[in-house]
Amino acid sequence: MTTVIKAPGESAAEKAGGGRPAAPGGGRSEGAVLNVFSHGFLAVWAVLIVLPLVRLALGSFKTDSEIGGSALSRPTNWNLDAFARAWDKGIGDYFAHTLIVMAFSVPLTMLLGSMAAYVLARYPFPGNRVVYFFFVSGAMFPVFLALVPLFFMVKRLDMLNTYQGLILVYVAYSMPFTVFFMHSFFRTLPTAVHEAAVLDGASDTRIFFQVMLPMAKPGLISVGIFNVLGQWNQYILPSVLMQPQTGSDPERYMLTQGLIQLQYQMGYETDLPVLFAGVTLAMVPMLVVYLSFQRQIQAGLTSGTLK
């Protein structure tokens, strides 16, 4: 007869199970519960976002009486009359003003922000951290607290209700986040490539534009999309800075201002399909941009942490 000798540290679970260790099923069950909870939360969040967008899009094709009915009911006639009326009431001009400003503000933000972030990330000098935290602190400062001094500053420069004034303000407004994001990204780039370019005799400017900036393309795309979304949806800054100053001063309303003006133009008349169509026209370009660059945004957000 063979005698089985047990170790002195035998657990109670092994004794109860005939000497076999307990199956590690507790961790799996907890992971399954966490997955169900997280997926359920994301599903509810998606519904809360998608349903208002669907209601807006459907309302653009409905009449006033149909909008007052069921929110998600199908319109009787699928026509584009509301979009045509919204365009005739100035949505096209608001689009043009917004595109003119962003055609300069976004590239300037990306260029200046990337240059500042690159110097702060790759070149140590006295006061480096002070300058970096100065930029980062701008992202923590609520913009509405600076509206009054900002208004008078732009007024002294004689740039109220001008494209160049709003472009400069947009660049300054977007710089803190751009510097913060790109600073972290530039720090993850390999130093060996920079050193090889230096040994080849490349100047600092050439290294930045031809070596380091192309390597930072995922980060540039990600922060660029965030800047586009932020400046496209900006309302409080153009509301303060883009108001006609005299009777002869032309109206240069941005798209967000234009939607409010579209509501004011209706007065006591109820033409909700026009307002819904205007909001849909303002919403579609940003949805297209985000969905088109979704993979690049995710790659840019994760590449800095995976390197």
Side-chain angles (χ1 to χ4, degrees):
M1 182 177 64
T2 304
T3 304
V4 179
I5 302 176
K6 294 292 184 180
E10 185 179 20
S11 63
E14 291 177 343
K15 293 179 180 179
R20 293 174 297 177
R28 295 179 181 178
S29 61
E30 292 177 1
V33 172
L34 182 60
N35 287 335
V36 171
F37 175 78
S38 60
H39 284 75
F41 176 77
L42 292 175
V44 173
W45 192 2
V47 170
L48 293 177
I49 293 175
V50 171
L51 285 182
L53 300 183
V54 173
R55 174 171 170 75
L56 279 174
L58 291 177
S60 304
F61 299 94
K62 294 180 179 180
T63 62
D64 287 322
S65 58
E66 290 176 339
I67 291 178
S70 177
L72 300 179
S73 61
R74 298 176 59 184
T76 304
N77 296 318
W78 295 86
N79 55 64
L80 302 176
D81 293 342
F83 292 94
R85 296 198 304 272
W87 195 267
D88 293 338
K89 290 186 177 182
I91 288 294
D93 295 333
Y94 307 144
F95 257 102
H97 298 162
T98 305
L99 292 176
I100 290 173
V101 171
M102 294 185 61
F104 293 93
S105 62
V106 174
L108 279 175
T109 301
M110 300 304 301
L111 176 62
L112 299 178
S114 299
M115 294 173 67
Y118 174 72
V119 172
L120 293 173
R122 311 294 294 198
Y123 294 91
F125 58 88
N128 182 298
R129 303 303 295 174
V130 175
V131 177
Y132 171 72
F133 286 119
F134 178 77
F135 274 109
V136 174
S137 63
M140 307 175 188
F141 192 78
V143 65
F144 58 84
L145 294 180
L147 287 179
V148 174
L150 180 63
F151 173 84
F152 286 107
M153 184 182 299
V154 177
K155 184 178 181 180
R156 290 193 188 99
L157 297 175
D158 197 21
M159 289 186 178
L160 288 176
N161 198 32
T162 61
Y163 294 135
Q164 58 269 28
L166 190 60
I167 289 171
L168 293 177
V169 172
Y170 273 3
V171 171
Y173 171 78
S174 304
M175 280 286 286
F177 176 73
T178 304
V179 171
F180 171 76
F181 187 93
M182 294 306 300
H183 178 272
S184 302
F185 200 90
F186 278 124
R187 288 178 65 90
T188 64
L189 298 182
T191 307
V193 179
H194 181 272
E195 294 175 350
V198 173
L199 293 176
D200 288 339
S203 63
D204 292 335
T205 303
R206 185 176 181 183
I207 292 174
F208 173 71
F209 284 104
Q210 296 186 3
V211 179
M212 307 305 290
L213 202 60
M215 293 176 61
K217 183 179 178 181
L220 289 172
I221 293 177
S222 298
V223 74
I225 296 300
F226 285 122
N227 284 328
V228 168
L229 294 175
Q231 295 181 15
W232 182 271
N233 296 322
Q234 182 59 239
Y235 173 71
I236 188 170
L237 289 176
S239 296
V240 174
L241 303 176
M242 298 297 287
Q243 296 290 343
Q245 303 301 305
T246 62
S248 60
D249 201 10
E251 295 181 351
R252 297 188 178 97
Y253 293 136
M254 297 297 105
L255 189 57
T256 50
Q257 292 176 276
L259 295 176
I260 301 299
Q261 293 297 319
L262 195 65
Q263 183 179 6
Y264 288 157
Q265 290 175 10
M266 289 191 301
Y268 293 102
E269 300 178 359
T270 57
D271 196 359
L272 291 178
V274 171
L275 186 59
F276 278 41
V279 176
T280 302
L281 288 173
M283 174 183 64
V284 168
M286 292 300 99
L287 286 177
V288 172
V289 169
Y290 184 81
L291 294 177
S292 300
F293 293 95
Q294 182 180 6
R295 293 184 180 274
Q296 289 82 351
I297 293 174
Q298 294 175 353
L301 292 176
T302 57
S303 58
T305 59
L306 296 178
K307 290 183 179 181

